[in-house]
Amino acid sequence: MADIEASERTPEENAQHFRTDLQNGLTSRAAAEILERDGPNELEKPPKPTLLMLFIMQLTGFVIVLLIVAAVASLLVNGTGPNREDALSYTTGVAIFVIVIINAGIAAWTEHKAGDALEALSKMTQAT
C-alpha cells in the first residue's frame, strides 16, 4: 500500500496508512511529531529573480528585440555608408539603444519594487 499515492487510496486506507482516526484526526503529539519531521504544510516559493535577471528578461520581449535589431541595422548601414566618418550619422542607432536600455531599466526596477510590495502584502495577510 506504500507504493500507492495518497490521492488514489480511500479515506479509510489513508487513515490506516497515516495511523490516524477519521473522526478525531491526529493527536496533538502525533501532529507535533509530523510537523517536526516534515515541516509546515506549505508550498515552496520560487526564488525571487534578481534585479539583473529582471533587466535581462525585459530585453527579451519581441518589440524590444525588434528595436535592438533596428539599432544594429542602423549602425551597420551608417558604418558602411558614405557618411561613416560623420559621428552624427550614428545618432539614430545609438538613440534606439539608449532608449531601450533606459526602458528596460525602468521596467525592471518597477517590477522589482512591485514584487517587494506583493511580498509585503503577502506577509500581512498570512494566517498566524
Side-chain angles (χ1 to χ4, degrees):
M1 180 154 55
D3 297 328
I4 300 173
E5 290 289 324
S7 62
E8 297 174 352
R9 294 188 209 119
T10 66
E12 292 77 19
E13 290 171 334
N14 276 325
Q16 181 182 1
H17 176 77
F18 292 109
R19 288 178 241 125
T20 186
D21 183 81
L22 287 177
Q23 300 300 317
N24 300 320
L26 292 172
T27 64
S28 296
R29 182 176 173 204
E33 288 174 6
I34 292 172
L35 180 62
E36 179 70 29
R37 182 186 70 219
D38 298 335
N41 184 18
E42 59 187 22
L43 296 174
E44 286 185 32
K45 294 180 182 174
K48 186 177 172 184
T50 64
L51 193 55
L52 177 64
M53 197 63 206
L54 290 172
F55 179 78
I56 291 170
M57 288 178 0
Q58 292 297 324
L59 296 175
T60 61
F62 180 70
V63 173
I64 299 298
V65 170
L66 283 178
L67 286 170
I68 292 170
V69 168
V72 169
S74 175
L75 291 173
L76 285 174
V77 167
N78 290 320
T80 58
N83 295 333
R84 66 177 159 240
E85 301 299 325
D86 184 14
L88 291 176
S89 64
Y90 298 99
T91 56
T92 303
V94 171
I96 292 172
F97 268 125
V98 168
I99 291 169
V100 164
I101 296 301
I102 289 171
N103 178 66
I106 291 170
W109 180 257
T110 304
E111 191 171 337
H112 179 71
K113 287 300 178 184
D116 289 347
L118 188 61
E119 189 174 311
L121 283 172
S122 175
K123 286 181 181 177
M124 287 173 54
T125 59
Q126 285 180 350
T128 55

